[in-house]
C-alpha cells in the first residue's frame, strides 16, 4: 500500500477491493454501535483551496468516528505556494499532525505535498482527479448491484476530474465505462491512455462517444456532474450553451436499463446537468452516494493513518 492516496490509478485492484471491504465493515460497525477508536490521538489537517460540503464534513466525521480529530485550514489561512512554499508547509505540518488531506487547483500541488511530507497525503480533489469520490462511487455501485465487475457505467457531461477518477476505478475493477461528452471537453489524453492500458488487464471495456443517447443505451449507471467545475467559472456562460444536450432528464433515463441508477457527486445544479425529477426520482442514488463518502474515506484514513 502507498503512503498516500493521490489517484485511483496508483492502486492495484486488490488494494482497492480491500479498501471497499474495509469501508463496508466500518459502515456496518458504525451502524451497530460505533467504530473502534483506532485513530485515537491522531489528527488530519484538511487544506482547502476550494469550497466543500461533503469532503470537509465527511473527513472530519470519519476521523471523529475512529477516535481521532481533524483540523480545517481555509484557503485564506494557508496560501498554499503563495504565503509559503508547499515544501515548507509539508515539512511543518508533519511535525504537528499525522495526515494531510488537500483540495487544490493544480494537481501538481497535492503531488508535491506528498513528495515532501513524511506523513500520508490524501487528494481531496484537484483539477485533474477526485479519487475519494470514485471510491465512494464504487461502494455505491457495489451496494446496488452486489458487484462492480461487468457493470455498465455511463458518464454524461464534462470530461472533468470526477470523470477521470470514475474511469480509473472502472478500468481497475472491470466495470465497463462509457463517456459521452461534447467536443472540446474530453478527459486529458494521458488519463485516457493509462486507463486503456489498465482496462486491458481487467477486461473493462472503455467507450468514448459524443452522443448521450447512444451512451446510455445499455447503462446500469448514469453518472453526471456540473458543467462548470470550480476554477472554471469564467467559462460558465459558454458551457451553458454547449452542454444542454447532455442534461440527465427523464427522457435520457428512460433510454437506459429499467433498473438503471443515477449518480452525481454533488453539488448538483438542478435544471442544468440534472433535472429535479431525476435527482429526486426513483432511479436516484444521490444521497446514499454522498453518505458513502464518509464510509469510503474512513477506510482510507484507517488504512493510511492507523500505523502498527
Ligand atoms: N462531491 C464533493 O466532493 O463535494 P464537496 O465539493 O462538497 O466536497
Ligand atoms: N467537478 C466538480 C466536482 C465538485 C465536487 C468540481 O471540480 O468543481
Amino acid at each position: 500500500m502507498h503512503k498516500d492516496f493521490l489517484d485511483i490509478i496508483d492502486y492495484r485492484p486488490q488494494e482497492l477491493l480491500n479498501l471497499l471491504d474495509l469501508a463496508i465493515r466500518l459502515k456496518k460497525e458504525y451502524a451497530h454501535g460505533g467504530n473502534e477508536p483506532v485513530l485515537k490521538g491522531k489528527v488530519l489537517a484538511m487544506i482547502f483551496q476550494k469550497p466543500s460540503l461533503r469532503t470537509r464534513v465527511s473527513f472530519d466525521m470519519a476521523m471523529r468516528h475512529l477516535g481521532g480529530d481533524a483540523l480545517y485550514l481555509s484557503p485564506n489561512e494557508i496560501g498554499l505556494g503563495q504565503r509559503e512554499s508547499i515544501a515548507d508547509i509539508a515539512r511543518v505540518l508533519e511535525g504537528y499532525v499525522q495526515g494531510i488531506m488537500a483540495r487544490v487547483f493544480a494537481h501538481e500541488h497535492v503531488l508535491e505535498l506528498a513528495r515532501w511530507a513524511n506523513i500520508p497525503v490524501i487528494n481531496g480533489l484537484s483539477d485533474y482527479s477526485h479519487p475519494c469520490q470514485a471510491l465512494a462511487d464504487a461502494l455505491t455501485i457495489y451496494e446496488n448491484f452486489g458487484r462492480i465487475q461487468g457493470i455498465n457505467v455511463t458518464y454524461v457531461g464534462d470530461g472533468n476530474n470526477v470523470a477521470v477518477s470514475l474511469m480509473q476505478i472502472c478500468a481497475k475493477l472491470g466495470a465497463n465505462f462509457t463517456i459521452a461528452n461534447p467536443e472540446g471537453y474530453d478527459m486529458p489524453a494521458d488519463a485516457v491512455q493509462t486507463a486503456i492500458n489498465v482496462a486491458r488487464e481487467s477486461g473493462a471495456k472503455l467507450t468514448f462517444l459524443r452522443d448521450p443517447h447512444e451512451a446510455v443505451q445499455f447503462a446500469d449507471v448514469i453518472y453526471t456532474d456540473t458543467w462548470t467545475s470550480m476554477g472554471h467559472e469564467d467559462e460558465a456562460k459558454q458551457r451553458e450553451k454547449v452542454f444542454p444536450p447532455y442534461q440527465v432528464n427523464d427522457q435520457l433515463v428512460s433510454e437506459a436499463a429499467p433498473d438503471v441508477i443515477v449518480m452525481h457527486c454533488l453539488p448538483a445544479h438542478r435544471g442544468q446537468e440534472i433535472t429535479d425529477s431525476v435527482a429526486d426520482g426513483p432511479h436516484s442514488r444521490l444521497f446514499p452516494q454522498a453518505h458513502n463518502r464518509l464510509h469510503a474515506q474512513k477506510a482510507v484514513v484507517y488504512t493510511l493513518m492507523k500505523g502498527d
Side-chain angles (χ1 to χ4, degrees), residues 50 103 125 130 160-162 225-226 228-230 265-267:
K50 298 173 177 172
R103 167 166 286 194
L125 179 147
H130 198 0
N160 63 15
N161 44 9
V162 169
D225 182 20
T226 182
T228 305
S229 286
M230 293 179 279
C265 62
L266 302 179

Side-chain angles (χ1 to χ4, degrees), residues 20-99:
L20 290 172
D21 280 348
L22 180 58
I24 291 164
R25 173 164 80 73
L26 293 170
K27 184 172 179 175
K28 266 197 207 126
E29 229 176 68
Y30 181 66
H32 294 100
N35 301 122
E36 297 291 319
V38 292
L39 297 186
K40 192 170 185 313
K42 305 216 168 157
V43 176
L44 179 73
M46 306 192 295
I47 300 175
F48 281 93
Q49 287 192 304
K50 298 173 177 172
S52 169
L53 170 67
R54 279 144 292 270
T55 306
R56 177 180 176 176
V57 180
S58 56
F59 265 110
D60 194 331
M61 296 314 295
M63 289 302 295
R64 292 188 205 194
H65 291 176
L66 295 173
D69 216 334
L71 194 63
Y72 172 72
L73 299 163
S74 74
N76 302 338
E77 275 158 306
I78 290 259
L80 203 71
Q82 286 164 351
R83 181 170 184 262
E84 202 166 353
S85 79
I86 292 176
D88 287 357
I89 291 171
R91 286 175 294 177
V92 169
L93 280 178
E94 72 183 19
Y96 299 151
V97 296
Q98 289 68 43

Side-chain angles (χ1 to χ4, degrees), residues 1 37-40 42 98 120 301-308:
M1 199 76 177
V38 292
L39 297 186
K40 192 170 185 313
K42 305 216 168 157
Q98 289 68 43
V301 291
Y302 183 116
T303 304
L304 298 184
M305 294 177 67
K306 183 167 171 282
D308 297 321

